[in-house]
Amino acid sequence: MDNVDRKILAELQMDGRLSLTELAERVNLSLSPCHRRLRALEQSGAISGYRAHLDAETLGLTFEALVFVTMRDADHDTVASFEQAVATIPNVLQAQRLFGDPDYLLQVVARDLRAFQKLYDERISTLPGVQRLSSTLVMKSVVENRPLPL
């Protein structure tokens, strides 16, 4: 990957809807070489997909919490079952396995406190292997959806 590839990636992180013509102009390439590089970046996995960034608040998802999960056991089957189950909950935007205690960090959104409580009680607390949950509310996002450093 060279500087031109990094420029392509930077431009697409800022605006994934750029036309190929606009992208080529921004990175100072003609259309064909830009298209070849773009396809190579997609095929290599450097670009894993394209999607729209939605505004949670506009969509009525105004409640955000971080949920810390401590597992009862860390054996392979329990961890796999937990990870498969948590992946089925649409309100869990991110689930990260951590070193140390707690075992997982979940970023969760909901319409309001009542919806979060229901999700917490009926889905999150019943996930396989969960021993303890602890949560904190997000006051505001300071940095989010930041492009990856290139």
Side-chain angles (χ1 to χ4, degrees):
M1 182 177 308
D2 63 13
N3 284 337
V4 175
D5 290 335
R6 286 182 182 83
K7 286 180 187 176
I8 290 171
L9 293 173
E11 289 295 337
L12 289 174
Q13 283 191 103
M14 298 304 292
D15 184 357
R17 293 187 62 169
L18 283 175
S19 71
L20 190 55
T21 303
E22 291 172 313
L23 180 60
E25 287 174 7
R26 290 186 184 190
V27 298
N28 296 318
L29 283 177
S30 61
L31 205 54
S32 291
C34 184
H35 188 251
R36 278 194 301 274
R37 284 176 176 263
L38 179 59
R39 291 291 170 240
L41 289 166
E42 291 169 346
Q43 291 170 354
S44 74
I47 298 173
S48 61
Y50 299 89
R51 66 185 182 116
H53 173 73
L54 306 180
D55 185 82
E57 189 170 328
T58 300
L59 297 171
L61 298 168
T62 59
F63 190 91
E64 184 176 347
L66 300 176
V67 179
F68 302 93
V69 181
T70 301
M71 301 296 287
R72 188 174 310 109
D73 298 304
D75 63 273
H76 181 269
D77 291 340
T78 303
V79 167
S81 295
F82 172 85
E83 290 179 1
Q84 288 172 350
V86 80
T88 67
I89 303 173
N91 295 69
V92 176
L93 300 184
Q94 286 190 1
Q96 298 173 317
R97 188 170 182 193
L98 309 174
F99 281 110
D101 188 36
D103 298 299
Y104 288 90
L105 170 61
L106 311 180
Q107 179 188 7
V108 180
V109 294
R111 286 187 323 277
D112 53 28
L113 177 59
R114 178 166 286 178
F116 174 72
Q117 179 188 353
K118 182 176 180 178
L119 179 68
Y120 189 93
D121 291 345
E122 296 177 9
R123 299 284 308 271
I124 297 172
S125 67
T126 65
L127 289 168
V130 170
Q131 175 183 339
R132 183 170 43 91
L133 297 173
S134 174
S135 61
T136 187
L137 306 181
V138 174
M139 184 184 302
K140 78 176 187 179
S141 291
V142 178
V143 176
E144 63 182 11
N145 300 310
R146 174 179 279 166
L148 291 175
L150 301 171

